[in-house]
Structures are given as C-alpha cells and as structure tokens.
Amino acid sequence: MIRLFIFIISFSSFIFSSNLSFEDIPIQEEGRVKPLDTFAKNQLLRIYGKRTLSDNDVSSTDWLFGVLAGDPKVLSIPVFYILNPEVIYALELDMTDGRKYTFKQISKAIELKIEMLEKIDEKSEDVRTLVEQQLLQIYFNAIHFKMLQSDFTCLTPIIPITNDIIAERLGVENGENVSFFKFARNLDKMRDFIVSVEQDPVSWSSADSSFFKNIQILQSLSTSSLSSNMLKIVPPVDSHHGGEWMSPWEIVSFGKLKTSYYNDLLISLEDYIDSRYKGNQSGMSKSIISYETTLYDMSSEVPSLSNLKRETWYNQANLFTSSIVFYIISFILVCFSLLFSPNILRKLSFLSVLIGLGYHFYGIILRMVIMGRPPVSTIYESIIFVGFISVLLALILEYFRKDGLGTLTAALSGIIFQYVSFGYASDGDTLGVLVAVLNSNFWLATHVTTITIGYGTSIVAGLMGHIYIFYLILFPKNRKKLLSIYNNTFGVTILALFFTLFGTILGGIWADQSWGRFWGWDPKENGALLICMWQIFMIHLRLTGIVKGLGFAVGMVINNIIVIMAWFGVNLLSIGLHSYGFVSGIAINLIIFSSIELIIGLGGYWVGKIRQSR
C-alpha cells in the first residue's frame, strides 16, 4: 500500500509538470494560495450557486477572464439564479424560464430598490425574513461581481489612443487601445503634455486635447477601482517574506512599480491579455512563459507548478462524482443478483464498486498531496474519508465471505456518503486552511484519522444491521444467511469499538498537550464516549445471550443515530473547544434521519418478530 501511494504521487508529479497556463496562475484567497481555476469556481459558486456553467459552453476560467476583461458575450450570460419567486417579485424582475438574470438586469433592479435594500441591511439578522435574507444576498453578490469586474481594468486595453504623437510615444498604432498600466508607466515620455495641459485650454494642440481626455479616463478608472483588490495574484518578493499577496491595482496605485519584478510580472500579464484579445496564440504562449519565469524568480512563496496543475486537474476531473456513478451501478447489479444470475452479476457488482473505490481513493490522495496533510480536517473531508473507510471495509468483508453482503454494504455506504458530501462541497472551497488547533499533521494522522475510521466502521455495522432486518422480513426461512449477516455485524462492531476507543484515548492525549487537560466533558468528547459505551453495551448483550440476531441488528441501527449525533449533532450546541467542527442548518436533517432510523429499527423489530413467528 505504501509503495502504491508513493507511485501515485510520483506519477501524478510527472503528469502535472508542463508549463503554466492561465487557469493555473496562483492566487491568494482566504489565506491559501490556489490556482486561478479554483478561484473562478469559488466565484461562480457564490454568485451562481454552482461551480460550472452547465448551460453554456464556457469554462469557469473563461467566464472569469470574460468578467475581468469586460467581454460582452460573457457578461450576457445570466449567472444570478433566483429560485424564490417572491424575491423576483420584490425586485420587479420579469419571470424568466430558468429564473436566471444577467448582472445588467440585477444592477438595474437594485438601483430601483436600493432604499428598500439599505433598510433591510439595517435590520438585525434575527428579525429578517427569509425573503429579506435572500434579497440581501443578491445585493451583496452584485457588489461582489462589480468589484470582480474592476480587478483587471488596469491591465485591460480600454483607453483609446487617437493621436499620432501619443501613439508613437506609447509604441502603438493610432486607433489602438492601451491599458491604464501601459499609459501610466510611459508618463515620463509625456512630460511636455503634462506641462501643456496645466495651461489655458485655448492654447492646447490636438495632441494636448487627446492627452487630457486620456488623463480623465485614467482618473476615472483609478477612482472607481480603489476597492478592486480581490485578485491577489502578485506574491511578495523574497525580501518581504510572509507578506500579503497583492492585486494588480494595489501594485499600480501604491507605487510598487519601481520593483522590477512587479513591473515585469504585470507586463507579462498585460501582454497575455492583449494577445488574447487579438486571438494571438503565439503571443499568449510567450507572455505566459514570461509570467511563469518572473513569478518563480521573484518569490519562494509560490506553490510548485505541479501542485497548481494538480489542483486544476482535480477541480475538472470530478473524481467523487465518477465514484458515486459506479457505486450506483454496483447497487443496481447486486440487487438484480438476488433475482437471477447471482454469480455473474455479483462479480460485476464487485468490480463496479471497486472501480468507484479507485476514483474515491485517488481523489483523497490528490487532496492529501495538494494540501500536504491528512484528509480529515473538516466536516466535508471527514465525510469523504469515512465513506472511503466504509466502502473499503465492506469490500474486505466481501473478499473473504463472497456472499454479496459486503458488496451491497459497500455500494450503499458509497452512495450515502458521497451524496451527503456533495451538500457540504457546495458551501465553498473544500481545500480550506486549517484552524490552529488542527494544524498538526501528527495528530491529524493519528487521533483524527483513527476516530474517523471508527465512525466509518460503526456506520458499516449499522448498515449491516439494516440489511439483517430487511433480509429477515423478506427471507425469514434462510437462517443460514441470517446467521452469517449476524456474525459479520458482530465482528464489524468489535472492530468499530477498537478504533473509536483508541481514537478517543489519542484525542485525550492531544487535548492534554494542546489544552492542558486529558478530559473536559467537551460535547465532542462526550459523543465519542457515548459511541464506545453503546457498542460495549450491545456486545455484552450479545455475549450474555440477552439479545439475538434481530435485537442486535436493531441496536446497530440505533448505533447509527448515536454516531451521527456525535459526529454532527453536538456541533449544534455551539459550545466546546472543537469549534472547527461547527456547522449550521442541519437540525432538521438530523431529526429526519433519526426519525427514519427509529422507524426502521423499531418497526423492523416488530415486523421481524411477526415474520419469525410465522
């Protein structure tokens, strides 16, 4: 396994080692340096609600470039999605088929309703209605879009040159457009015009008049772009190690152009934008190579090129989506195997879930390499990791038992966990920076990994309890199969207890080192302890013969409720030192989940008893 891990990392480093592309340009966002492709997807997610424009043949990076460069075609794409018709009515927008609107349409609506929106903003969050909250979200997204739109205006060729003398001094043809940056860095060549425009306008030449109009455009752009600092693509030079990255406007406005690295970097980027405007592929390639050379010469804080390209590829590959497709195929095949051709369909089902696990595993490995840490530091990561452990454990069970039970459990685990993870992936960047308490690879690789393996193993035991109940209801006479499921469930429960108990002890050691106490009755600690106590309770009931197969299966169904409450439910209390795990908006989902599990457990016990008696 270790050799396979090393091979995957080495192979992926070889694959992702070509030249930099526009989508790989590093940018600092929310404390992390990431490729521009990730940044573009995050902006789309915030404004559009999705990371891709599925209805348009435009990639997220092309969309971002179009917004930055003011491309009319891209700006005409409706990216403001309003689901609630009451919000549409409040903004007096026309009801479109897809309820999607362009920035221009939203801007006009906001202008007409600005007083209403400002009054809503003055209210406290507690008294705002759902419609008011959604109206404010659209309002702030529109402001965000406008700021984003201004981030490249200093490098975009939008200043028209209409005089031969000015064109000659700028090194362009008369009639061409130049950027703010190009005009500003060549002002030394136009000192005579600066002196002239300070005189009486009556004495101005045609060149003076043209120059004055250009200066007015410069002032207007500079004033309107004071807050345009979201596109932090310029790293600090090594002499300022540890500093904040800067946007192009910050470099231009704060007099940083005297540093040759900054100047060269923006020139390369300006040349790329100009070449892309003209459709000059050769010019785009040369400028991006120049940009890459300057970038890595100026700062050691830039991530490796292979890592940037690796993250871009990860964004576009959708490995976890591919894995759930194969899990669903496996589930369908294993269900059909109960009806006919059990051997062939069971093998095909096993192969399908194995392929899904491969996608799942590679996705986790890539995340580990990109972030340089174990993959269990956030709620989202814990979900995909627990899902992986559940599928892997079930497949190991299938490898030894070869009765279809493991494959069915694996497919169900993969589907459920991947589906849940998609909901958390829509909250924002899933490769975020760790909070301080989790910034320890040793403890992430021991306590957190061990306890999440315990979660995954516990969930597998719970799923096998479900399978026992449903199998008993459908095939009550097949006692041999029921006994096999019962014994397997018991074995997995013991394994789950081992990992959960061991992970809890390791957590106490970490707490002692970080917080000065081994145990403090923190909600997370109590949740982990409750899982251990319930599993010990069920194991003792089984060993003493108080419960048989059906009773033990129901106990494992209840075990699922305890695990989910310890994993997610304690976060709703908003207390304790495990603040990195706080989530909101899941109370209803937890109530629904617990209710369904109780119905399955208690109802299954009642129906199962009836089926057994008959």
Side-chain angles (χ1 to χ4, degrees):
M1 180 63 74
I2 296 175
R3 290 182 179 179
L4 176 63
F5 180 73
I6 295 172
F7 172 77
I8 289 174
I9 295 176
S10 302
F11 181 73
S12 63
S13 297
F14 173 76
I15 292 295
F16 307 122
S17 58
S18 57
N19 290 330
L20 187 80
S21 62
F22 181 75
E23 61 189 7
D24 304 320
I25 287 177
I27 178 172
Q28 189 183 64
E29 182 194 24
E30 296 177 351
R32 186 175 80 87
V33 180
K34 59 193 73 171
L36 200 62
D37 180 75
T38 302
F39 177 81
K41 284 179 166 54
N42 289 344
Q43 305 315 304
L44 266 178
L45 181 64
R46 171 173 179 162
I47 297 168
Y48 184 57
K50 298 179 182 178
R51 286 186 167 86
T52 56
L53 293 167
S54 53
D55 298 337
N56 298 272
D57 189 21
V58 178
S59 70
S60 56
T61 316
D62 288 340
W63 170 82
L64 178 64
F65 181 85
V67 172
L68 294 171
D71 185 347
K73 182 181 177 182
V74 171
L75 294 177
S76 66
I77 297 175
V79 292
F80 287 83
Y81 178 46
I82 305 177
L83 182 63
N84 192 337
E86 292 185 47
V87 176
I88 297 173
Y89 175 78
L91 291 173
E92 297 184 5
L93 290 163
D94 294 330
M95 183 72 74
T96 62
D97 291 337
R99 299 182 183 180
K100 298 174 184 176
Y101 303 89
T102 64
F103 174 66
K104 185 177 180 180
Q105 291 172 311
I106 291 295
S107 296
K108 286 183 178 179
I110 287 175
E111 279 183 37
L112 296 173
K113 298 292 182 180
I114 188 65
E115 291 185 8
M116 176 190 73
L117 292 168
E118 288 176 347
K119 288 180 180 178
I120 294 173
D121 190 28
E122 291 172 0
K123 294 182 179 181
S124 64
E125 293 184 13
D126 299 335
V127 298
R128 289 176 194 154
T129 65
L130 177 62
V131 173
E132 289 176 337
Q133 292 173 10
Q134 293 175 348
L135 282 167
L136 271 188
Q137 184 179 8
I138 293 168
Y139 175 51
F140 291 134
N141 282 347
I143 294 174
H144 185 84
F145 189 99
K146 181 63 177 177
M147 292 171 59
L148 190 66
Q149 199 176 13
S150 304
D151 266 334
F152 253 12
T153 48
C154 63
L155 301 175
T156 307
I158 55 178
I159 300 175
I161 304 302
T162 57
N163 183 269
D164 289 330
I165 300 174
I166 297 176
E168 182 182 354
R169 296 188 186 183
L170 290 173
V172 299
E173 296 292 330
N174 189 12
E176 281 191 40
N177 289 354
V178 299
S179 69
F180 179 103
F181 174 54
K182 188 178 185 70
F183 202 101
R185 74 173 186 267
N186 285 286
L187 278 176
D188 286 344
K189 300 177 182 179
M190 304 182 199
R191 292 186 179 276
D192 53 332
F193 291 131
I194 296 173
V195 174
S196 296
V197 296
E198 291 177 351
Q199 308 300 321
D200 189 347
V202 176
S203 62
W204 288 357
S205 65
S206 60
D208 294 332
S209 298
S210 296
F211 179 76
F212 182 73
K213 290 178 181 178
N214 292 145
I215 290 296
Q216 285 182 314
I217 296 174
L218 289 177
Q219 290 176 338
S220 175
L221 286 173
S222 180
T223 303
S224 63
S225 303
L226 289 175
S227 59
S228 300
N229 57 3
M230 293 193 329
L231 207 70
K232 294 186 177 295
I233 57 175
V234 183
V237 294
D238 283 331
S239 59
H240 300 93
H241 184 79
E244 280 284 317
W245 287 44
M246 291 175 286
S247 68
W249 267 116
E250 287 176 308
I251 298 295
V252 174
S253 302
F254 300 156
K256 301 285 186 179
L257 294 178
K258 293 180 181 179
T259 305
S260 60
Y261 280 131
Y262 292 144
N263 196 50
D264 294 344
L265 195 72
L266 292 190
I267 288 174
S268 299
L269 195 54
E270 179 190 49
D271 289 342
Y272 174 83
I273 296 170
D274 189 55
S275 299
R276 187 159 174 169
Y277 258 105
K278 298 174 180 177
N280 182 358
Q281 293 293 332
S282 175
M284 289 167 60
S285 299
K286 289 179 181 178
S287 57
I288 206 71
I289 290 173
S290 173
Y291 182 90
E292 177 187 342
T293 303
T294 306
L295 184 71
Y296 282 97
D297 283 345
M298 72 183 290
S299 178
S300 60
E301 293 193 2
V302 183
S304 67
L305 179 57
S306 60
N307 220 37
L308 291 169
K309 298 188 79 67
R310 185 180 289 113
E311 184 172 342
T312 300
W313 186 87
Y314 168 83
N315 291 335
Q316 298 168 357
N318 293 320
L319 295 171
F320 297 126
T321 302
S322 300
S323 72
I324 196 173
V325 170
F326 282 98
Y327 290 149
I328 291 172
I329 293 172
S330 174
F331 176 73
I332 294 172
L333 290 174
V334 77
C335 287
F336 276 116
S337 72
L338 299 174
L339 303 176
F340 45 83
S341 302
N343 291 330
I344 296 175
L345 290 178
R346 195 178 295 157
K347 289 178 180 178
L348 289 174
S349 177
F350 183 83
L351 177 62
S352 180
V353 80
L354 194 62
I355 295 172
L357 184 67
Y359 278 108
H360 201 151
F361 178 64
Y362 190 48
I364 291 175
I365 292 296
L366 280 181
R367 293 180 64 88
M368 290 175 64
V369 175
I370 291 167
M371 298 302 295
R373 57 173 169 77
V376 287
S377 58
T378 64
I379 290 290
Y380 170 77
E381 288 184 345
S382 69
I383 292 170
I384 59 174
F385 185 74
V386 168
F388 170 76
I389 293 298
S390 301
V391 176
L392 179 63
L393 179 63
L395 282 184
I396 293 173
L397 184 67
E398 177 64 23
Y399 178 78
F400 288 106
R401 306 293 298 188
K402 293 182 175 60
D403 56 0
L405 172 63
T407 304
L408 177 60
T409 306
L412 282 172
S413 299
I415 293 169
I416 292 169
F417 281 109
Q418 291 290 47
Y419 178 76
V420 173
S421 73
F422 292 156
Y424 283 91
S426 63
D427 289 342
D429 188 5
T430 64
L431 293 164
V433 178
L434 290 181
V435 295
V437 70
L438 283 177
N439 196 14
S440 168
N441 278 354
F442 173 76
W443 288 111
L444 280 177
T446 52
H447 160 64
V448 182
T449 303
T450 305
I451 201 72
T452 47
I453 290 174
Y455 287 161
T457 315
S458 299
I459 293 294
V460 169
L463 286 174
M464 293 174 71
H466 285 72
I467 293 171
Y468 183 95
I469 291 171
F470 286 114
Y471 201 90
L472 174 63
I473 294 172
L474 296 173
F475 310 104
K477 294 182 180 180
N478 194 342
R479 299 195 176 187
K480 182 179 179 181
K481 182 71 172 180
L482 288 169
L483 181 61
S484 175
I485 299 172
Y486 176 31
N487 290 333
N488 289 334
T489 306
F490 178 69
V492 173
T493 303
I494 293 176
L495 190 63
L497 175 61
F498 168 78
F499 281 110
T500 308
L501 185 60
F502 189 53
T504 303
I505 294 171
L506 287 174
I509 298 172
W510 187 5
D512 186 49
Q513 291 189 2
S514 297
W515 300 323
R517 62 22 165 218
F518 183 85
W519 189 265
W521 300 105
D522 185 90
K524 281 284 187 182
E525 296 169 352
N526 294 339
L529 178 63
L530 192 58
I531 296 173
C532 297
M533 292 176 65
W534 181 259
Q535 289 171 352
I536 292 171
F537 175 65
M538 291 307 304
I539 289 171
H540 274 77
L541 288 180
R542 195 264 192 189
L543 292 176
T544 56
I546 296 176
V547 298
K548 304 297 182 183
L550 182 57
F552 192 81
V554 173
M556 287 301 99
V557 171
I558 296 174
N559 181 68
N560 273 1
I561 299 175
I562 297 172
V563 171
I564 295 301
M565 286 299 176
W567 190 2
F568 295 96
V570 296
N571 300 320
L572 294 174
L573 300 175
S574 297
I575 58 174
L577 293 169
H578 294 77
S579 57
Y580 57 84
F582 288 164
V583 290
S584 59
I586 62 169
I588 294 176
N589 293 334
L590 288 176
I591 292 171
I592 293 173
F593 171 81
S594 301
S595 300
I596 291 173
E597 289 292 81
L598 286 173
I599 291 170
I600 291 174
L602 300 179
Y605 183 83
W606 178 66
V607 176
K609 279 293 185 181
I610 294 175
R611 295 287 287 168
Q612 278 182 330
S613 64
R614 291 180 179 176

